[in-house]
């Protein structure tokens, strides 16, 4: 598989501010999910600093309002406007309400929010396993709902924040919700992150004629983030010690947001779609998980997997009845 190259010398240590330097986004509108903490805040900061009007789509609107107040005090003059919208990706009604409230074109959608490795199985109110529901299905419903707004923009971009964790599992279509196999927090996380990549592959294929590009990314190993709020840290320590989990070097939050910002706004990736990036560059395929601290599994970029996931996701999002809990 040929891998597209980006012309700029960005890399693992590049920050979001460095990526956005010299980019003018005035007149553009962006939505960043999960923008009340971590790389979501830094992604919103960078886009607004370049002039984009950014909506922080968050579960806790009070926390979002505090972020807006802080960023407004720190951003340079002529930055874009910041607003807050309520979005709980586990609650389909809030996704529908957010979509219904949106008017006009949307230039950038950053699907950034997520949950990682809760130690016990949790289901959403409609019976879905939480990681798959929040990390993938909620974002899928949001993007599909906002598709008319994205199509109305001139060259809209969708950014799907995935993870090297996708190497822990492909999408297991026959048991998405762990009803037939024992729940495992890491294969569940891996499945949801593979789904994030496959969504980008599917959206890039389906929406190309609308001028929409979609890509996925690994932000990096970032300690200062709320993503791990549900995790059992002793379990993580044991997992690392066992050799089952390999991690790349740590990044700062500012560095972690760089690849998201690159895909959202940089001219250097104009026209690139359906790819998985890390360290501000397209990833190379890997043949197995063992020891890998970078790269993308072939199953995560497979067009047939992407098409199947899209069909399944449409059915799950449209489902009116709930599964047993």
């Amino acid at each position: 598989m040929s891998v597209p190259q980006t012309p700029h010398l960005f890399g693992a240590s590049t920050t979001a501010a460095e990526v956005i330097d010299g980019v003018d986004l005035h007149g553009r509108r962006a939505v960043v999910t999960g923008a009340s903490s971590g790389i979501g805040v830094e992604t919103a900061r960078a886009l607004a600093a370049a002039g984009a009007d950014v909506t922080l789509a968050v579960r806790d609107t009070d926390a979002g309002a505090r972020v807006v107040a802080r960023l407004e005090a720190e951003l340079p003059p002529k930055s874009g406007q910041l607003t807050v919208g309520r979005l709980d990706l586990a609650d389909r009604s809030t996704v529908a309400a957010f979509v219904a409230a949106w008017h006009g074109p949307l230039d950038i959608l950053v699907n950034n929010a997520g949950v990682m490795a809760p130690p016990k199985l949790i289901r959403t109110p409609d019976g879905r396993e939480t990681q798959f529901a929040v990390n993938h299905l909620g974002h899928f419903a949001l993007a599909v709902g906002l598709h008319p707004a994205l199509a109305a923009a001139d060259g809209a971009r969708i950014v799907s924040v995935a993870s090297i964790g996708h190497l822990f599992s492909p999408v297991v279509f026959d048991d998405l919700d762990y009803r037939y196999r024992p729940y495992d927090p890491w294969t569940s996380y891996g499945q949801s992150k593979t789904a994030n990549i496959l969504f980008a592959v599917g959206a890039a294929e389906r929406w190309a004629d609308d001028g929409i590009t979609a890509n996925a990314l690994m932000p990096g190993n970032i300690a200062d983030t709320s993503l791990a709020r549900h995790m059992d840290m002793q379990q993580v320590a044991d997992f690392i010690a066992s050799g089952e989990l390999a991690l790349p070097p740590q990044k700062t939050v500012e560095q972690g947001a760089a690849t998201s910002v690159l895909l959202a706004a940089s001219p250097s990736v104009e026209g690139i779609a359906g790819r998985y990036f890390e360290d501000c560059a397209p990833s190379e395929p890997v043949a197995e998980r063992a020891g890998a601290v970078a790269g993308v599994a072939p199953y995560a970029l497979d067009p047939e997997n992407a098409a199947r996931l899209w069909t399944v996701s449409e059915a799950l999002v449209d489902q009116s009845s709930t599964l047993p809990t």
Side-chain angles (χ1 to χ4, degrees):
M1 179 180 66
S2 63
V3 178
Q5 299 299 311
T6 52
H8 292 287
L9 297 178
F10 299 140
S13 63
T14 302
T15 65
E18 290 168 339
V19 169
I20 207 69
D21 185 40
V23 176
D24 184 1
L25 296 179
H26 287 91
R28 303 293 183 91
R29 305 170 73 201
V31 169
V32 181
T33 70
S36 59
S37 64
I39 65 171
V41 174
E42 296 308 315
T43 301
R45 181 201 301 275
L47 298 177
D53 294 332
V54 183
T55 298
L56 283 63
V58 298
R59 288 184 307 129
D60 184 344
T61 53
D62 289 339
R66 289 192 292 271
V67 170
V68 166
R70 174 162 61 87
L71 292 181
E72 287 178 338
E74 297 170 352
L75 284 167
K78 299 184 179 180
S79 294
Q81 293 184 341
L82 295 166
T83 57
V84 177
R86 184 166 189 273
L87 180 70
D88 182 348
L89 292 164
D91 183 345
R92 199 174 304 165
S93 67
T94 75
V95 177
F98 186 93
V99 168
W102 188 268
H103 298 287
L106 174 60
D107 301 277
I108 299 166
L109 173 61
V110 183
N111 291 331
N112 168 80
V115 60
M116 181 167 66
K120 295 183 179 180
L121 175 62
I122 304 170
R123 298 196 188 279
T124 60
D126 57 351
R128 308 258 73 94
E129 186 278 318
T130 294
Q131 294 191 83
F132 188 76
V134 170
N135 297 348
H136 169 62
L137 282 179
H139 279 129
F140 177 85
L142 178 67
V144 169
L146 290 173
H147 173 252
L150 292 160
D154 181 15
R157 298 187 186 189
I158 301 174
V159 179
S160 187
V161 179
S163 170
I164 192 174
H166 80 275
L167 297 178
F168 284 118
S169 179
V171 174
V172 181
F173 289 100
D174 292 327
D175 191 19
L176 296 172
D177 295 308
Y178 287 82
R179 295 185 178 278
Y180 300 97
R181 53 185 167 142
Y183 172 75
D184 177 82
W186 292 109
T187 60
S188 173
Y189 180 67
Q191 170 176 257
S192 73
K193 294 290 103 179
T194 295
N196 290 154
I197 303 170
L198 289 173
F199 165 75
V201 174
E205 171 66 24
R206 282 167 172 74
W207 295 344
D209 289 345
D210 298 314
I212 299 168
T213 58
N215 291 285
L217 70 118
M218 159 64 170
N221 175 17
I222 306 153
D224 186 13
T225 173
S226 66
L227 178 64
R229 61 188 178 275
H230 297 294
M231 291 172 59
D232 180 333
M233 299 314 293
Q234 183 57 52
Q235 179 191 57
V236 176
D238 293 344
F239 203 31
I240 293 172
S242 72
E244 288 292 319
L245 179 62
L247 293 174
Q250 281 196 359
K251 291 185 178 184
T252 66
V253 177
E254 294 81 6
Q255 292 168 338
T259 308
S260 293
V261 173
L262 177 93
L263 294 174
S266 176
S268 69
V269 294
E270 186 74 34
I272 295 176
R275 301 290 181 172
Y276 174 79
F277 280 63
E278 54 198 340
D279 295 338
C280 295
S283 299
E284 297 286 348
V286 294
E288 61 181 26
R289 187 186 83 193
V293 294
V296 60
Y299 57 70
L301 294 175
D302 183 86
E304 292 186 5
N305 286 344
R308 184 179 182 185
L309 178 65
W310 196 281
T311 300
V312 168
S313 300
E314 284 182 325
L316 294 178
V317 166
D318 290 341
Q319 217 172 47
S320 58
S321 60
T322 60
L323 294 174
T325 57

